Amino acid sequence: MTTQSCVTEKAQSSGLKIETRSIDYVPRHERHGKVWHQGPFWFTGNFVLTTMVTGFTGAALGLALPYAILAIVIGVCLGTFCMAFHANQGPRMGLPQMIQSRAQFGLRGAIVPFTAVVFVYIGFNVFNVILATDAINTVIPGARAPWYTLMIAIAVLIAVVGHDLLHTVQRWLTYLMISVFAVLTVSALLTLQADTAVADAHFSWSAFLIQLSAAAGYQISYSVYVSDYSRYLPHQTPSRQVIFWTYLGAAGSALWLMSLGAFLASALPSPDAIASVRDVGNQLIPGFGTFTVLIAVPALVGIMAVNCYGAMLTGISAIDGFKSIQPTLKSRVTGILLVAVVIFLIAMNIPESYLGSFNTFVLLMLYFLVPWTAVNLADFYLVRKGHYAISHIFNPAGIYGRWSSAGLLAYFLGLLAMVPFMSLSFYQGPLSQALGGADIAFVIGLAVAGLVYWALTRNLDLEAERLAIQASEQQLEGGAQ
């Protein structure tokens, strides 16, 4: 009996099932879970203080609250659309999200989006661990390193146990977060007045579109791992249900927290995720604001675990394209631990002003992820229509090849097309300047990357792929439905 089997059997006998799969295919007889679980999973996954910070953007640019909320609504709805349609790929393919990109970019070519995605995972976890530590320091002042270590360790433990525990933790946190933040929201509405802290609050296309892009980019960032948590659903799970529950959970929490963040930023002179929540809650009930801040910590740790898990899957997928890696428990644990070490080292060594650059980080993330999401969705829904030879995704000599010029060219052309429309703190494209500072880069990127990929794959030999798909199905499932 292998070491992996011994570990798994001991875990199961104690009631704790440690996931042993990583980037490999999940056979249909192992599929389990309920589709509605996607709702609370993504609600809590998005119900973190970093989501609230995204709502500060409009007020910081002088945008009046009604327009800021409208920009948030449009941005969230657009960004979550991409995310929810990616979720549907999980039950259909039984694979983690990013390794599916090999069908569009090639076995090795997929390292291009993989690199951007790992940056996103690590960046978000650095933000999350800093915010969580700030929250704890409001009650227990002191050194940051011990708290970084503790929270990262808890996130690692949850990620190592894997998929089922992640779902359970997120689901139960949902009920807690809704009840606590409902009271906080009521307190804010009763004690604060909108736009009193924004001098000359007004409408401007520039501020409106920057807030819209920030909200959309934040939501699109979840696309890179959304089917990691739907791939264990039964293969025949209706697409509309997967999309509905994912959309409901992710959009619901984002609309709530970003709008609350916009309201706080418009009403408080110096909005801060931790201090604002604490002060507003304490005005209603002494100590409640501090309690709310501390309650936000488990949600941050939960999404840190989700990010560690996703970064591990993406990292293993990238390395496996060049050197074959066995998808074992050992490789999972090693990957998660390496990610955790990198997060800790960055958090310990970045300047305190790092959190001030959150909006720039979100926009950069948006720029690099938009061409990938356009290519991936165009391939799944328009070109191959959800039909893939799964075994060939792991085969260097398979039909998808090592490098795919169609995916790579579409990605880079989409990225290049966005440059003139970008609006960042350190760079503003000429067309963005002509539009008064407005940022519509992500719309351009989606359109260009998606259309270019579709045009380049119109003559794809789908009949030859159909034969490969049938052989792959027989190999993986033995003809079982």
Side-chain angles (χ1 to χ4, degrees), residues 40-41 43-45 47-48 158 165-181 294-306:
F41 182 91
F43 184 93
T44 297
F47 211 88
V48 290
I158 296 172
L165 181 59
L166 285 162
H167 263 282
T168 300
V169 169
Q170 296 293 86
R171 190 159 61 251
W172 284 104
L173 280 174
T174 295
Y175 310 124
L176 177 63
M177 301 306 291
I178 288 176
S179 58
V180 172
F181 272 82
L294 293 178
I295 286 298
V297 173
L300 285 165
V301 173
I303 198 61
M304 283 170 59
V306 171

Side-chain angles (χ1 to χ4, degrees), residues 389 392 462-473:
H392 285 251
L462 295 178
E463 181 60 27
E465 287 200 8
R466 186 180 64 82
L467 298 176
I469 291 168
Q470 290 176 349
S472 175
E473 178 81 7

